[in-house]
Amino acid sequence: MPESELRTRVQQRIEEGRLPVAFVRLVNAEAGAGGHECPVCDQPVKRDKVEYDPRNANHHLIFHYSCYLIWQRECARRIRAERANLSERQR
């Protein structure tokens, strides 16, 4: 799936509340257990792949690496925008 489509999915799922906006500091990366569906691409993280499990998000989410990166980039963009808005309102 193209990165642009994955990015659009992340944006939609954040808006729908299906994905949180969270900056993750700790991620478990381990062999895929199989059967966990990635919340971005809706494909299972197969046993021959590495699954990425962010530990400080308040949700139990298992991502493919590229999907995880796209989600974190979108979260960072939104967090920066929110901080800029707060700063602007305080002036």
Side-chain angles (χ1 to χ4, degrees):
M1 188 175 307
E3 184 175 334
S4 60
E5 187 173 337
L6 292 172
R7 190 175 330 106
T8 298
R9 282 181 175 218
V10 166
Q11 292 166 346
Q12 290 171 339
R13 289 169 187 198
I14 287 173
E15 293 299 322
E16 295 166 354
R18 293 171 57 192
L19 283 173
V21 175
F23 181 72
V24 177
R25 296 178 191 269
L26 180 62
V27 179
N28 279 350
E30 53 195 31
H36 289 111
E37 190 174 283
C38 175
V40 174
C41 68
D42 298 326
Q43 298 298 309
V45 180
K46 297 179 181 177
R47 293 182 189 274
D48 65 337
K49 301 293 181 191
V50 176
E51 63 182 34
Y52 294 83
D53 179 7
R55 286 299 176 178
N56 70 346
N58 291 326
H59 299 75
H60 182 69
L61 302 168
I62 302 293
F63 293 90
H64 296 99
Y65 182 66
S66 58
C67 295
Y68 169 76
L69 288 179
I70 292 167
W71 171 61
Q72 281 295 274
R73 281 189 210 124
E74 181 62 22
C75 289
R77 187 188 70 77
R78 287 171 183 253
I79 290 167
R80 278 193 308 270
E82 181 60 29
R83 287 181 182 161
N85 287 339
L86 285 174
S87 178
E88 189 65 31
R89 282 186 267 171
Q90 291 175 349
R91 290 182 189 176

